[in-house]
Amino acid sequence: MNRYPKEDLQKLVAQLAGGMGVPAEDAALFAESLVDADLHGVPTHGVSRLNIYLQRIEAGLIDPKAALTVDRGTGSVLALNAGNGLGQVQARKALDLLIPMARENGVATATIRNSQHFGALSWYANYAASQQMVLLAMTNGEPAMSPAGGYEAFFGTNPIAASFPTGKGFLIKIDLATSTVARGNIIAAQKKKATIPEGWALDRDGNPTTDASEALLGTVLTMAGHKGYALALMVEMFSGVLSGAAVGSNVGSMYKNLDRKQNVGHFFCLFHIDAFLDYAEYLRRMDETIDRIKTSKKRPGVVEILVPGERSARTAETNRAQGIPVSDETVAEIEQWCSRLKIAFNCHEVVC
Amino acid sequence: MNRYPKEDLQKLVAQLAGGMGVPAEDAALFAESLVDADLHGVPTHGVSRLNIYLQRIEAGLIDPKAALTVDRGTGSVLALNAGNGLGQVQARKALDLLIPMARENGVATATIRNSQHFGALSWYANYAASQQMVLLAMTNGEPAMSPAGGYEAFFGTNPIAASFPTGKGFLIKIDLATSTVARGNIIAAQKKKATIPEGWALDRDGNPTTDASEALLGTVLTMAGHKGYALALMVEMFSGVLSGAAVGSNVGSMYKNLDRKQNVGHFFCLFHIDAFLDYAEYLRRMDETIDRIKTSKKRPGVVEILVPGERSARTAETNRAQGIPVSDETVAEIEQWCSRLKIAFNCHEVVC
């Protein structure tokens, strides 16, 4: 593993995306999103995915120049079509459309169809927070989990995310797959040839497995049994059914289906805090809540009670200072693309 | 346990609420909500709670005549004050305010502060569905769960609920406490003097317990560990912090604090389906999704894959035909109130 300065890495990723036909402004957004995921300690959604995005562009399965178009616009709702463009770019542009609507009406919602895996939430969350807004986000994804009682992959790991500005120097950032574990962790275990813990997944015949490759052919279990199933379904309804995107197992797999588009659907709901209460009062209430949680009684052996988003903010601080960690495998992939696209690998390794 | 016709029970509950000063129209809404919970198989939120509501009205802890007032109204957002009225009545009135806003702008959101436990979701869900709308609802509640790493009751069991109309004769109705189990189940176990399963709760010193009374003095565990904590926090932010209601352990307990108000906060977000896609197309997509889920491969021994809301619709059908089941204990409580308020116990037992 090497560490690189954020700016170097971001510039290089943008150059590579540009080399594959992504317009400069969009390539910059795309690179910002990927590196931001690594910055915040979510490498499964970061530059480790650059290779597959570029492969899919090359295969004609992602349109690098796609426009974001409006299927339907009503008051404070936009039903958007990503035109099979890069998820990160189209979702960020959707937020840019929603922000003035939320400022006007207090709340604004968008569905996005014809999209791809759109990366990690932190990037959208920080953007919404910079506008003094709360973001609720959901997305469906490639089939990974079955309904309770079944063993056929239907749902993606269908995450729910919400972010809330605070006065503490970090956001409350809730971002969870409705599976026992994010599929990225199983992919990571497979890459490392490691086993996975029991209770994470079933194999293709519906039996429990600790083999990452078998798990990726089978199904990931929903968190908390029936409750996780219900939440995964909720995410599917908001981001798949309501958006007009592919639903359930009709969503294409990023890694497995190199012959068809993903047609992922996203759902954003943006709330302007001032519509509910004065922002200063909100921050006072929010920070007091955080203080109360952090100072509540700890179980034996627990050093600190954390709130969601706190750890990721600390990781970002470390990575900003020490450089963004990138695995050897990902570095090798990037070097290959550099060589193919005749772009210099201009990242200066940080020596800590 | 006895069974009573829905109409009889509803009329009696309304009379009793009226007897305690709730205006006739509000008493009818309140009774409809309680009996609807029993109808749909959620007796923990039904007429079994009538006694405590009436006690709290009597103690001056609920204002039976409270108006619902607007703290702040911006475009498609209402920040509402329930004035310490009955949660069910005020929340239903909030929906009545939101429906035309959602029809106009596609989405409408309300927070409600100064409220109480507002009952079961089915009632709101069915109402929203009758308007061809999707409802997302959250509420905080009396302290029951600790943050991960802690053992001090801070969060309520903070449920998340969402409902989606279908063409199948039932709604997709997601309604789950972010705890391993709804607190009502522990209260029910305590009433029956039964033990609770391991993994549901900790006692007041943070140790695992199977004693329902000890559990009610301690904390209920969040579902799926850290993920449940994150979701409970999300619910607290939307319904507690953003609404201006009490937050976390400042929320009063319905049963334990007979000396102070609850100040519960709710959050509603209502989506008009036509703003996203044509309702007919929505129904087609929804029903197809349900069919695909229900016909997906079943694990050995599984007879049927259910979707959330299906079982509750079947229970409602049974209870509509056979009468609403009411426990002996609840019947005794109701009879006492009838006797005190000089109202005839005019429910005709259904003999099945």
Side-chain angles (χ1 to χ4, degrees):
Chain A
M1 191 200 73
N2 295 329
R3 286 182 175 271
Y4 300 102
K6 182 174 177 295
E7 295 65 30
D8 284 10
L9 193 58
Q10 208 164 302
K11 197 174 155 196
L12 179 59
V13 171
Q15 282 179 311
L16 292 170
M20 289 302 292
V22 181
E25 223 171 289
D26 293 357
L29 285 177
F30 176 64
E32 193 183 307
S33 160
L34 289 188
V35 175
D36 192 77
D38 288 299
L39 179 77
H40 286 89
V42 191
T44 52
H45 291 47
V47 292
S48 71
R49 298 228 183 198
L50 177 63
N51 183 48
I52 188 73
Y53 285 117
L54 298 184
Q55 280 181 0
R56 292 185 74 84
I57 291 176
E58 188 170 38
L61 299 170
I62 295 178
D63 176 359
K65 294 181 169 50
L68 179 71
T69 56
V70 179
D71 283 339
R72 200 171 279 213
T74 310
S76 238
V77 168
L78 292 173
L80 299 170
N81 180 350
N84 196 36
L86 286 163
Q88 290 87 341
V89 173
Q90 304 296 53
R92 170 63 174 251
K93 287 181 178 175
L95 275 186
D96 279 326
L97 296 175
L98 288 182
I99 286 167
M101 293 166 71
R103 208 175 297 284
E104 175 84 13
N105 286 329
V107 57
T109 299
T111 51
I112 310 177
R113 66 185 178 96
N114 262 334
S115 188
Q116 333 282 332
H117 189 272
F118 74 163
L121 176 80
S122 279
W123 190 53
Y124 309 111
N126 278 301
Y127 190 48
S130 74
Q131 309 295 314
Q132 306 190 344
M133 292 185 186
V134 168
L135 176 65
L136 177 69
M138 305 181 205
T139 183
N140 69 3
E142 56 188 274
M145 311 194 297
S146 63
Y151 69 96
E152 199 173 347
F154 184 82
F155 301 109
T157 52
N158 289 10
I160 299 173
S163 60
F164 302 85
T166 77
K168 294 287 190 185
F170 60 86
L171 306 185
I172 295 277
K173 201 176 64 190
I174 288 137
D175 182 10
L176 52 101
T178 50
S179 54
T180 47
V181 73
R183 207 158 175 280
N185 296 62
I186 302 181
I187 295 170
Q190 188 198 33
K191 284 192 175 183
K192 282 189 221 157
K193 302 194 191 314
T195 59
I196 55 168
E198 263 181 65
W200 278 19
L202 303 177
D203 67 17
R204 73 194 100 171
D205 302 316
N207 306 308
T209 185
T210 58
D211 182 304
S213 301
E214 281 299 319
L216 290 172
L217 294 171
T219 52
V220 187
L221 287 164
T222 57
M223 71 181 205
H226 281 76
K227 294 194 181 202
Y229 162 41
L231 287 173
L233 182 65
M234 177 180 87
V235 172
E236 199 67 46
M237 304 282 107
F238 276 118
S239 24
V241 174
L242 211 56
S243 70
V247 173
S249 50
N250 292 339
V251 176
S253 166
M254 196 173 179
Y255 289 95
K256 285 187 263 183
N257 300 135
L258 287 169
D259 54 349
R260 66 183 179 99
K261 296 168 184 173
Q262 284 203 278
N263 194 8
V264 169
H266 316 304
F267 175 86
F268 277 153
C269 202
L270 203 56
F271 303 92
H272 190 214
I273 291 164
D274 269 325
F276 297 88
L277 72 179
D278 288 343
Y279 192 64
E281 168 70 359
Y282 163 85
L283 284 184
R284 196 194 58 71
R285 290 173 63 80
M286 179 57 84
D287 291 356
E288 187 193 309
T289 302
I290 294 169
D291 290 342
R292 287 170 60 206
I293 289 173
K294 289 193 66 70
T295 56
S296 72
K297 284 189 218 158
K298 296 172 201 59
R299 285 184 199 147
V302 172
V303 178
E304 183 184 9
I305 292 178
L306 293 170
V307 293
E310 204 173 2
R311 194 192 306 270
S312 126
R314 290 183 194 171
T315 303
E317 203 175 333
T318 304
N319 289 343
R320 222 173 260 122
Q322 300 184 359
I324 312 274
V326 185
S327 75
D328 294 346
E329 191 190 341
T330 299
V331 171
E333 286 169 355
I334 293 179
E335 282 173 341
Q336 279 188 348
W337 281 103
C338 283
S339 142
R340 280 194 50 193
L341 296 171
K342 310 213 182 311
I343 289 167
F345 186 92
N346 245 340
C347 283
H348 302 284
E349 203 173 322
V350 179
V351 182
C352 301
Chain B
M1 190 200 71
N2 295 330
R3 286 182 176 271
Y4 300 103
K6 181 174 178 293
E7 295 64 30
D8 283 10
L9 193 59
Q10 209 165 300
K11 197 173 153 196
L12 180 59
V13 171
Q15 282 179 311
L16 291 171
M20 289 303 291
V22 181
E25 224 172 290
D26 293 356
L29 286 177
F30 176 64
E32 194 184 305
S33 160
L34 290 188
V35 175
D36 192 79
D38 287 299
L39 179 76
H40 285 89
V42 192
T44 51
H45 291 45
V47 292
S48 70
R49 297 227 183 198
L50 176 64
N51 183 48
I52 188 71
Y53 285 117
L54 298 184
Q55 280 180 0
R56 292 186 74 86
I57 290 176
E58 188 172 37
L61 299 170
I62 295 178
D63 177 359
K65 296 182 169 48
L68 179 70
T69 57
V70 178
D71 283 341
R72 198 171 283 213
T74 310
S76 237
V77 168
L78 291 173
L80 299 171
N81 181 349
N84 196 36
L86 286 163
Q88 290 88 341
V89 174
Q90 304 296 54
R92 169 66 172 248
K93 288 182 178 174
L95 275 186
D96 279 326
L97 296 175
L98 288 182
I99 285 167
M101 294 166 72
R103 208 174 297 284
E104 174 85 13
N105 286 330
V107 57
T109 299
T111 51
I112 310 177
R113 66 185 178 95
N114 261 333
S115 189
Q116 334 281 333
H117 189 273
F118 74 163
L121 175 79
S122 279
W123 190 53
Y124 309 111
N126 279 301
Y127 191 48
S130 74
Q131 308 296 314
Q132 307 190 344
M133 292 185 185
V134 167
L135 177 65
L136 176 69
M138 305 181 205
T139 183
N140 69 2
E142 56 188 274
M145 310 193 298
S146 63
Y151 67 97
E152 200 174 346
F154 184 81
F155 301 108
T157 53
N158 289 10
I160 299 174
S163 60
F164 302 85
T166 77
K168 294 285 189 187
F170 60 86
L171 306 185
I172 294 278
K173 203 177 65 191
I174 287 136
D175 183 11
L176 52 100
T178 50
S179 53
T180 47
V181 74
R183 206 158 175 280
N185 296 63
I186 302 180
I187 295 170
Q190 187 197 34
K191 283 191 175 185
K192 284 189 221 158
K193 303 196 190 312
T195 59
I196 55 168
E198 264 181 63
W200 278 18
L202 303 176
D203 67 17
R204 73 195 99 170
D205 302 316
N207 305 308
T209 185
T210 57
D211 182 306
S213 302
E214 281 300 319
L216 290 171
L217 294 171
T219 51
V220 186
L221 287 163
T222 57
M223 70 181 206
H226 281 77
K227 293 194 181 200
Y229 163 40
L231 287 174
L233 182 66
M234 177 180 87
V235 172
E236 198 68 45
M237 305 280 107
F238 276 118
S239 24
V241 173
L242 211 55
S243 71
V247 172
S249 50
N250 291 340
V251 176
S253 166
M254 196 172 179
Y255 289 96
K256 285 188 265 182
N257 301 135
L258 286 169
D259 54 349
R260 66 182 179 99
K261 295 167 185 174
Q262 282 203 279
N263 194 7
V264 169
H266 315 305
F267 175 86
F268 277 152
C269 201
L270 203 56
F271 304 91
H272 189 214
I273 291 164
D274 269 326
F276 298 87
L277 74 179
D278 286 345
Y279 191 64
E281 167 72 358
Y282 162 85
L283 283 183
R284 197 194 58 71
R285 291 173 63 79
M286 179 57 84
D287 290 357
E288 186 193 310
T289 302
I290 293 169
D291 290 342
R292 287 171 59 206
I293 290 173
K294 290 193 65 72
T295 56
S296 72
K297 285 190 217 156
K298 295 173 201 57
R299 286 187 199 143
V302 173
V303 177
E304 184 185 7
I305 292 178
L306 293 170
V307 294
E310 204 173 2
R311 195 193 304 271
S312 127
R314 290 182 194 173
T315 303
E317 203 176 330
T318 304
N319 290 343
R320 224 174 258 120
Q322 301 184 358
I324 312 274
V326 185
S327 76
D328 294 345
E329 190 190 343
T330 299
V331 171
E333 286 170 355
I334 293 179
E335 282 173 340
Q336 279 188 348
W337 281 103
C338 283
S339 140
R340 278 195 49 194
L341 297 170
K342 308 211 184 313
I343 289 167
F345 186 92
N346 245 340
C347 284
H348 302 285
E349 203 173 322
V350 180
V351 183
C352 301

